[in-house]
Each structure stands twice: as structure tokens, then as C-alpha cells.
Amino acid sequence: MDSGEKKEKEKWGLDLNLSTQEEFSTGLGFQDFLGEEKEAENDQLGHDFGRDSDFRIRERDSVVETDDFTSSKRLRYTTEEKGKAKVDCEVNLDFDLNLDLWGFEKDPVEGKMDTWPFEAGLLSSGPVMHNFFPDSVERNTQVENYDVPRKDIVFEQRKEIALSSVRKRQSRRKEQKLMQREIARNVAPRFAHLGPQEQQMKQHKEKKVKLREVDLEMELDLDDSQSPFSLALEAIKMRQTVRKGSLTGFSESLFKWVPAKAKDCDALKRDVPTLLDLSLNALAKNADAIVSLEHVPDKLRHRLSQLVSDCGVVDAHFVELLARGSPTEIRLRNISRLTEEEFSKIFSVCDTKDLTVLQLDLCGRCMPDYILNGTLARSSHRLPSLATISLKGAHRLSDIGLTQLAVSAPALQSINLSQCSLLTSQGISDFVSCFESTLRELYIDDCQNIDATIILPALKKLKCLEVLSVAGIETVCDNFVIGLVKALGINMKELGFANCVQLTDISLRIVGKNCPNLCALDLSYLHNLTDSALKHLANGCQSIRRLKLHRNDFSDEAISAFLEVSGQSLDALSVNNIHRVAHNTALSIAKCSRNLVSLDLSWCRRLTDEALGMIVDSCLSLKLLKLFGCTQITEAFLNGHSNPMVRIIGCKTGPVLEHLDALEPQENPLRYSPLTSFC
């Protein structure tokens, strides 16, 4: 074997020890025998390129046959050989593709070359390559030094066609995968088994969708273009458009407010405390030196207790002073310093037969169930006259203690159980069922173990319920509000929905239609509400006196329209941190809400000195103005307004916590109704 033939065999992977005839019989003939199976596998895998390339030859060369053709053994390649085979595979795949692009045509059945380059006249003379194509030993072709007419153009066209076919094939595969996934999604629910919680969530979502659809239909059917809110909103938008179009200095021309002269401001005596205030402050700071509170009216006791609580010095001595004798009211907003022993010692001997109001907030440390059972609830009718009780923050009070309290206070009409984390839905349901004809006020804010939908049937039976606050309970939804308001809306005076994040405009539409006597409403931190919520309130609840709007997404125009319709009855308004509040709201407050006593405009940074000056000088009843976070306010307003009665907090005019609760009314046992005897 000469060196040229040896190199040729090494190039094409043929056995150097075989003769030419043996090469054909063992190296190529048997490879053709195995080629059909390999082509079938490639067809199944979707390999359209490289069937007749040298890649298949290299694969078939890895099979070594014995003399009798009865067994086969696959060789193990080294890492270098595998890398070489991979490179040869890529080169030969590219070459096979180029043959297609240059004009080779294959037999559609066997995959063999049907038209050869030299037969088509595309190849010129050149050196002969022996056995280049394995399907024919005798055919010799000339593959070098050929000239192809317009080779670059033909190559690009054929390449584009080949790439297009590849893209189509990939697109079909993606479509098939997407179709299979869609079929799987449609079939999966038939075999899935949802748990109780998942089923409940699914039902809740379906009901919510239905409610939205019903609300949309009703909104489409109802023409409210002539409602008071819609007319006011249209007038505000028109007024704003006219002023913006006719005046360049819109904000300056909107408010005609001039600061008072400095000498006039100096003449005003602001924040001058009375003799009573000075005396109470002195007593609060020296509460440990007080010997007795006998013959002190309940009103002064209440104010003194507030001041002592604010100072944080409520101890066992001060609590014993309030509980001494036969008190009618005990109001303590913070008794977190009391221990169980001190609480037991004071209230085990307290005469509670005349006690009508009992406020023991933040009593979690000193009043678990067993202490309550041994003191205030140690016997039935232990609190025969008790009408109002507040146990806010009693985090150790459970359903058992609440049941004992219900037995001890049969005349209870108001109860505050906010932040009592151990109370459950069953405990609340059992408790209110004992007062179906007497309970008027119920506060269960931030009781996270309570499910609003579970307690709804029990709440519907409270015939006299006037106040309900469910702030911070995540399960409060539109269905809960609809069911409650339709059953009890005619008697409702106050509703607290702060942080009930599931509520939407649907709830407010039902409230506006069914609560004509509503006096107070808290909608703080409800981000799903839109301007339509204010429209429903303005059209239906025109006697609201206290409204809280914190961190809502209402527009300046919508708030202004609400104030022009219902602002005359307001005495307390909060638009804290509503970033869209601007000049329209300020103008409506100054014009339509002159009976305001308390106003919170904290973090409303679009309001100018002129806007605030016009509000303060127009609302002569205003006594408290909160401006926390309003860094745009200057001395021009703080020293230039002419209202001597107003107290401005949140700015640098005084301590931050001073006078926060100075304007809270002296609460009666009940907020809206006199005490009723149910004997």
C-alpha cells in the first residue's frame, strides 16, 4: 500500500489492513446494510440534515463485525477522538448542506444524488477524489477547481430557503407544545381535588366576579348625570378649565388671601391655657401625691385620667383612687404597668353596682381569663349597671373569659374588643347572641382570628346595632358589607372599614343606598376605591359628620365635589396623605365646610400658604389643624392667619404630641343614643 492510498484511507476512516475488495464488503457494504436503520432513527428524531454526510459514516465505522457477521461490538472513543468526531460531524454537515445549496438533487426515496455536478455542467475539470460518496464505489467525481455561475447569489438564495424551512419546523414544534399545554390545562381540573380552603377561595372569587358584573349592569342602567355629585363635579371641572384657559397665574388668582399685619398677629393671644388646664396638668404630673378623688365630678376625673395616661404614670395608686368608693365611671386608657396581683387587689373589693362605664385599655398584662373570673366576672350580675366596657389590647382574653363577662354584665350595650388576638369567630358569635336586643356598639378592630363571613349571621340578629368597626380584619369583603348593610343599614350611625383592603366601590354603593342616617365613616387605607365611592356617599349619605380618608386614591375634583354636596354637615375631616388634594379641595372646604372643628391635612404637599390661610380664616369654628409632613408651609401662613382659636400641630409651632386629643368630645356612655334600661 503506497503512502498516497494510506493517507486517503486515514482521511476517510478506513481500516488500513483491508484490501479494496474487503473495504467494499466489510467497510461499506455492511454500513449500507445498517444505514437503513440509522435513517429510520434520524427520521423519527426529525434530523433532516446530514443523513448522507460523513457523520453517518463515522457512526457506522464504530461498528466492528466478526468474520461470521453474527455479533457486533461498539468501540469506546477517547476524549480526543470524540472531539475530532464532533468537529468532523459539523464540517461534513455543513458540506452536505452546501451540496444541496449548490444544486445537488437527492432521490426522495433513497436519499442518493440524482443529478451530479459534472453531469449538469457545473463543475470544471479537476483532480479526482476516490470513493468520496460511500453509496457508489465506482463513481468518481471532480469536486475541486470548479466554477459555479453566480455562485454567491445562488448560495444565498438556497441558504435562505434552508433557514426558512428550519424556522418553519421550529415554529410548528412550538405550536404543538403550546397546544399540548393548553389541552393539559383544560383537562387538569377534571382530575384535581381542591382542599376546603382552596374551594372557599375559588367560590369567593366567583362571587366577587358576579358582584362586579351585577354592579356594572346597574351602573349602565342608572343615569346619574343629574345627581348632586355629578352636577358639582361637572361645575368644578368647567370652572377649572375656564380659569386655566383665561389666566396664567392660576394658583395665585384662585385664592385672594393676604396675611395679617405683624402688629395684628402680635395682638392675638394664642394658646393661653386656662386656670383649670393648668391645675389639671399640675395634678397629672404629681398623680402619686393625690390622696383622694371623692366628690370630683366624672367629667374632671375623665380629663385627669387622660392627662395621667398621656404622661405614662398610671400606677396601682392612681387606679385605686378611681375605683375607691362606689364609682359610676372608670376610664383608663393605659394600665399596662399594672400586675395581676395589683389588679386583683383593687377590683376584688371594688363596689361595681353603680358602675356604668369601664375602660381598661391595654390590660393584657394584668387581666387573663382567671383574673377576670376572680374579680369583675366572679359571679352573675356582678356588673348589673354596666353599659359600656372597653378592653382594647386585652391580648390574654379568650372566648372563655368573654363568655364569663357576658354573664356578669347583662345590660351591656357597648363593647370594645379591639386587638384581642385570642378571640375567635365562635366566641364573638356566642357573645353577641346574648345581647341581640340590647347591643348598640361593637368594636372588633384587628382581631385577626375572626372571620367576618362566619360572624355575619350573628351580627344580622343585632336589632339595635348602631356602630360597627371591623378595621384591619382581612376577611371583610363586599359580600359581608352587602349582607350587613341590607339587614341593619337603616339604624347604622358609624362604620369603620379602615384597612379592609378587599372592599371596592360596590360596598360604598350599598352603604349609600341603605344608610341614610350614617354619621361617621372610616375609609382609611382602602386602595381599591375610586371616585365613584365618593359619588355614592354624597348622593346617599348627606348627614355625615366625621369622615376619615387616609392614603386613598381619590382625585382632587372628586373630594371637592363631595364637600360641596355634603360638606356643610362635617365637623371632622381627615384627608391625610392623599397626594392629589390641591386647590379645588381647599376652595370647597373654605366655602362649604365652615362648621369644621378638626381638620387633618397632613402630607398634602400641594397646598400653598394662600390655600391654608383661606381655610383657617374662613372656618371660624376650626380649633385643631394637623399639618404633619407639610414642609412647604412657611411663616407667612403660620404667623399671618387671623383665627385665634385654631391650634396648629405638626409644624414647629409646638410639641408634636401636644393637643392631639384636646378636641375629642367628652364621651357619654354611648356615642349616639342615651342609655336605655332593659329591665
Side-chain angles (χ1 to χ4, degrees):
M1 181 184 300
D2 56 0
S3 60
E5 186 176 357
K6 183 177 180 181
K7 290 181 180 180
E8 193 72 20
K9 287 189 176 185
E10 289 179 351
K11 181 178 181 180
W12 299 107
L14 300 179
D15 194 344
L16 300 178
N17 298 324
L18 298 178
S19 62
T20 304
Q21 185 65 24
E22 289 174 337
E23 287 175 3
F24 174 75
S25 60
T26 62
L28 297 177
F30 186 69
Q31 291 172 1
D32 288 340
F33 172 74
L34 297 177
E36 297 178 0
E37 295 182 356
K38 196 63 180 179
E39 280 187 346
E41 293 179 1
N42 289 335
D43 291 337
Q44 292 178 356
L45 296 173
H47 298 165
D48 295 333
F49 297 106
R51 290 178 183 167
D52 299 313
S53 65
D54 189 54
F55 172 73
R56 189 180 53 153
I57 298 175
R58 300 286 295 181
E59 257 192 348
R60 291 183 293 188
D61 285 345
S62 65
V63 180
V64 179
E65 295 296 326
T66 58
D67 294 339
D68 53 358
F69 294 90
T70 58
S71 63
S72 63
K73 180 179 180 182
R74 187 171 298 276
L75 296 178
R76 294 180 179 269
Y77 291 104
T78 64
T79 303
E80 297 178 355
E81 291 174 339
K82 289 181 180 179
K84 181 179 180 181
K86 182 176 181 181
V87 173
D88 293 343
C89 167
E90 294 176 354
V91 172
N92 291 321
L93 280 173
D94 294 339
F95 182 76
D96 185 57
L97 177 60
N98 293 338
L99 291 178
D100 291 339
L101 299 176
W102 290 336
F104 287 87
E105 297 181 4
K106 295 184 180 181
D107 188 296
V109 178
E110 299 181 357
K112 298 180 180 180
M113 297 298 174
D114 187 29
T115 302
W116 297 92
F118 67 86
E119 293 177 351
L122 297 177
L123 299 179
S124 62
S125 59
V128 177
M129 181 176 291
H130 180 65
N131 287 340
F132 181 82
F133 298 100
D135 293 329
S136 176
V137 181
E138 299 177 356
R139 176 171 292 186
N140 296 325
T141 59
Q142 303 173 359
V143 295
E144 294 182 0
N145 299 328
Y146 55 84
D147 295 324
V148 180
R150 304 175 64 185
K151 180 178 69 173
D152 54 346
I153 299 177
V154 175
F155 179 82
E156 292 297 332
Q157 291 177 350
R158 296 298 183 100
K159 182 178 179 181
E160 186 64 29
I161 294 172
L163 294 176
S164 177
S165 63
V166 172
R167 295 190 191 101
K168 289 180 180 179
R169 189 179 304 106
Q170 293 176 349
S171 177
R172 285 196 301 269
R173 290 176 181 174
K174 290 182 180 179
E175 291 177 357
Q176 290 176 356
K177 289 182 179 179
L178 293 176
M179 186 181 299
Q180 292 174 357
R181 290 180 181 178
E182 188 65 25
I183 293 173
R185 289 193 188 99
N186 296 332
V187 175
R190 303 177 186 176
F191 303 97
H193 299 281
L194 301 178
Q197 186 176 2
E198 294 175 344
Q199 290 179 356
Q200 186 177 1
M201 292 296 294
K202 182 179 179 181
Q203 293 175 359
H204 172 69
K205 290 181 180 179
E206 292 176 353
K207 289 180 181 179
K208 192 172 182 179
V209 172
K210 291 181 180 179
L211 285 173
R212 289 184 179 275
E213 293 176 354
V214 171
D215 182 71
L216 180 60
E217 293 176 359
M218 296 184 69
E219 289 290 340
L220 293 175
D221 295 337
L222 179 64
D223 183 14
D224 62 344
S225 58
Q226 300 302 317
S227 65
F229 180 87
S230 299
L231 294 175
L233 184 62
E234 187 66 25
I236 291 170
K237 291 181 178 179
M238 186 178 298
R239 179 179 63 198
Q240 189 175 8
T241 303
V242 171
R243 285 175 175 168
K244 282 186 176 180
S246 59
L247 298 174
T248 55
F250 173 66
S251 61
E252 296 178 359
S253 61
L254 187 62
F255 304 106
K256 297 180 180 180
W257 178 78
V258 178
K261 294 182 180 180
K263 61 179 181 179
D264 297 334
C265 296
D266 295 337
L268 296 176
K269 303 297 183 181
R270 298 193 181 100
D271 295 334
V272 178
T274 64
L275 181 59
L276 178 61
D277 294 335
L278 292 174
S279 301
L280 290 175
N281 288 329
L283 288 173
K285 293 178 181 179
N286 300 277
D288 55 344
I290 299 176
V291 177
S292 175
L293 292 176
E294 293 184 27
H295 308 298
V296 176
D298 289 336
K299 182 178 180 180
L300 293 181
R301 285 191 175 202
H302 185 198
R303 290 187 60 182
L304 180 61
S305 175
Q306 284 185 333
L307 293 174
V308 174
S309 298
D310 292 340
C311 295
V313 292
V314 177
D315 54 7
H317 172 69
F318 185 77
V319 175
E320 193 271 333
L321 290 176
L322 294 177
R324 186 180 300 176
S326 181
T328 57
E329 292 187 7
I330 298 177
R331 297 177 183 264
L332 294 165
R333 296 193 301 181
N334 186 354
I335 59 171
S336 58
R337 297 178 61 181
L338 257 66
T339 63
E340 295 180 6
E341 294 77 11
E342 293 171 342
F343 186 90
S344 299
K345 182 179 179 180
I346 295 171
F347 287 99
S348 60
V349 298
C350 179
D351 185 3
T352 59
K353 64 180 181 180
D354 297 327
L355 190 62
T356 58
V357 177
L358 179 60
Q359 181 181 4
L360 300 174
D361 292 345
L362 303 181
C363 58
R365 178 188 178 190
C366 61
M367 200 185 70
D369 289 344
Y370 58 88
I371 296 294
L372 179 64
N373 189 30
T375 54
L376 297 175
R378 64 186 177 188
S379 63
S380 61
H381 294 74
R382 175 81 165 83
L383 304 167
S385 303
L386 188 64
T388 301
I389 186 171
S390 177
L391 302 176
K392 181 180 179 181
H395 57 82
R396 299 171 70 184
L397 178 67
S398 68
D399 296 343
I400 299 175
L402 190 61
T403 303
Q404 296 170 352
L405 183 63
V407 176
S408 301
L412 201 61
Q413 300 179 45
S414 174
I415 186 168
N416 188 343
L417 298 172
S418 301
Q419 302 174 12
C420 295
S421 55
L422 294 183
L423 298 181
T424 64
S425 304
Q426 188 62 43
I428 295 295
S429 299
D430 295 340
F431 177 80
V432 299
S433 64
C434 300
F435 305 95
E436 291 181 355
S437 59
T438 61
L439 193 63
R440 295 182 181 274
E441 301 175 1
L442 178 62
Y443 304 85
I444 51 175
D445 302 343
D446 299 311
C447 295
Q448 299 300 328
N449 286 333
I450 295 177
D451 191 334
T453 57
I454 295 177
I455 66 173
L456 179 59
L459 296 180
K460 288 182 179 180
K461 298 178 182 179
L462 299 176
K463 303 176 183 179
C464 303
L465 190 64
E466 296 176 344
V467 179
L468 177 66
S469 182
V470 290
I473 298 181
E474 297 179 354
T475 54
V476 174
C477 58
D478 291 335
N479 287 338
F480 172 81
V481 176
I482 292 172
L484 177 74
V485 170
K486 285 186 176 180
L488 307 173
I490 194 65
N491 297 325
M492 279 295 172
K493 300 292 193 304
E494 182 175 343
L495 289 171
F497 295 137
N499 261 324
C500 299
V501 295
Q502 296 189 40
L503 296 185
T504 64
D505 295 342
I506 299 174
S507 298
L508 274 297
R509 184 175 65 82
I510 299 299
V511 170
K513 283 189 173 184
N514 296 275
C515 300
N517 301 317
L518 194 66
C519 298
L521 183 63
D522 189 354
L523 301 177
S524 303
Y525 310 104
L526 303 185
H527 303 290
N528 292 331
L529 299 184
T530 64
D531 292 346
S532 298
L534 294 180
K535 176 186 68 176
H536 299 314
L537 290 178
N539 294 335
C541 305
Q542 298 185 3
S543 60
I544 294 181
R545 301 205 304 263
R546 296 193 303 275
L547 180 64
K548 288 186 178 181
L549 307 176
H550 290 189
R551 289 182 178 268
N552 302 105
D553 296 327
F554 300 128
S555 65
D556 181 40
E557 295 80 7
I559 297 176
S560 177
F562 174 83
L563 293 174
E564 294 199 1
V565 175
S566 303
Q568 295 180 356
S569 61
L570 287 174
D571 56 33
L573 173 65
S574 174
V575 288
N576 188 311
N577 210 345
I578 299 182
H579 64 279
R580 298 165 72 179
V581 167
H583 303 300
N584 288 316
T585 299
L587 189 62
S588 297
I589 291 174
K591 183 176 67 172
C592 304
S593 301
R594 298 190 175 185
N595 296 323
L596 281 175
V597 177
S598 175
L599 178 62
D600 187 357
L601 298 175
S602 300
W603 303 99
C604 296
R605 293 182 172 178
R606 294 189 180 184
L607 297 176
T608 61
D609 289 336
E610 291 77 13
L612 291 174
M614 187 178 63
I615 291 174
V616 172
D617 291 349
S618 300
C619 301
L620 299 180
S621 300
L622 189 64
K623 295 182 179 179
L624 180 63
L625 177 62
K626 298 180 182 180
L627 295 177
F628 294 98
C630 295
T631 56
Q632 78 279 10
I633 303 303
T634 65
E635 296 292 337
F637 161 71
L638 296 176
N639 297 326
H641 68 83
S642 59
N643 189 344
M645 302 300 297
V646 67
R647 293 179 178 178
I648 302 175
I649 62 173
C651 296
K652 54 186 178 181
T653 56
V656 173
L657 298 179
E658 188 177 358
H659 308 309
L660 280 178
D661 300 315
L663 299 182
E664 286 190 357
Q666 301 298 325
E667 295 183 0
N668 296 320
L670 299 177
R671 281 184 178 270
Y672 302 98
S673 300
L675 284 179
T676 305
S677 177
F678 296 96
C679 296

